[in-house]
Amino acid sequence: MIFRSIGELIEGRPLHAVGSHETILEVCRRLDGHHVGALAVLDGDELVGIISERDVVSRVVARGRNPAETPVRSAMTPDPKTVEIGDGLADALQAMLDGHFRHLPVMRDGRAVGMISMRDIPTEYRLMYQRFREARQAQEAVEA
């Protein structure tokens, strides 16, 4: 199937989220239970951050903090980069590659409605994008 927009890709998927006041232990249970690598962090309906497996490892476990006592707000990535539900996959891929991260919250009308990860983007999209970037860099080198 060829996806034209992020909305088509995430259609029918729930947004997995956690509150900023909850603990990292609860984050780990939800990550495991939903088989996902990141959760949106919400205060009410407002997206305030994202918490990923990498955040848990680097900001909690590696620092010897107790996951049962560590609040999400102290380990999350605040104010994450987001994409709009109508954006194309190339927009999401570029944001993830440029920002060196693997998960992006998806927004509609200012509210988080889903999450897209690098593994959601078909391999052929990633390969085409990589070839495009290489060709563009080669062209820029010739012109310089």
Side-chain angles (χ1 to χ4, degrees), residues 15-134:
L15 172 65
H16 299 295
V18 66
S20 64
H21 63 282
E22 296 185 56
T23 67
I24 295 300
L25 180 59
E26 183 58 31
V27 166
C28 293
R29 288 178 176 150
R30 290 190 194 175
L31 290 171
D32 182 52
H34 296 302
H35 306 288
V36 296
L39 301 170
V41 181
L42 303 176
D43 276 343
D45 286 341
E46 181 184 356
L47 177 71
V48 295
I50 185 173
I51 185 84
S52 69
E53 294 166 326
R54 184 182 297 173
D55 293 330
V56 171
V57 169
S58 65
R59 296 178 183 159
V60 180
V61 176
R63 294 182 182 169
R65 297 169 75 188
N66 183 342
E69 297 175 359
T70 304
V72 171
R73 69 181 158 277
S74 71
M76 71 181 189
T77 299
D79 303 314
K81 173 80 175 154
T82 63
V83 288
E84 291 296 319
I85 197 160
D87 289 348
L89 293 180
D91 299 315
L93 180 58
Q94 182 174 355
M96 286 188 265
L97 292 173
D98 291 349
H100 305 286
F101 42 78
R102 298 178 309 210
H103 299 90
L104 278 172
V106 178
M107 307 296 285
R108 178 178 30 215
D109 300 326
R111 295 184 64 210
V113 295
M115 184 82 68
I116 186 171
S117 76
M118 184 63 81
R119 72 177 180 208
D120 291 325
I121 299 176
T123 302
E124 54 272 12
Y125 277 68
R126 293 184 299 212
L127 291 173
M128 285 189 307
Y129 187 82
Q130 181 180 352
R131 287 186 185 131
F132 171 76
R133 285 180 84 161
E134 289 169 357

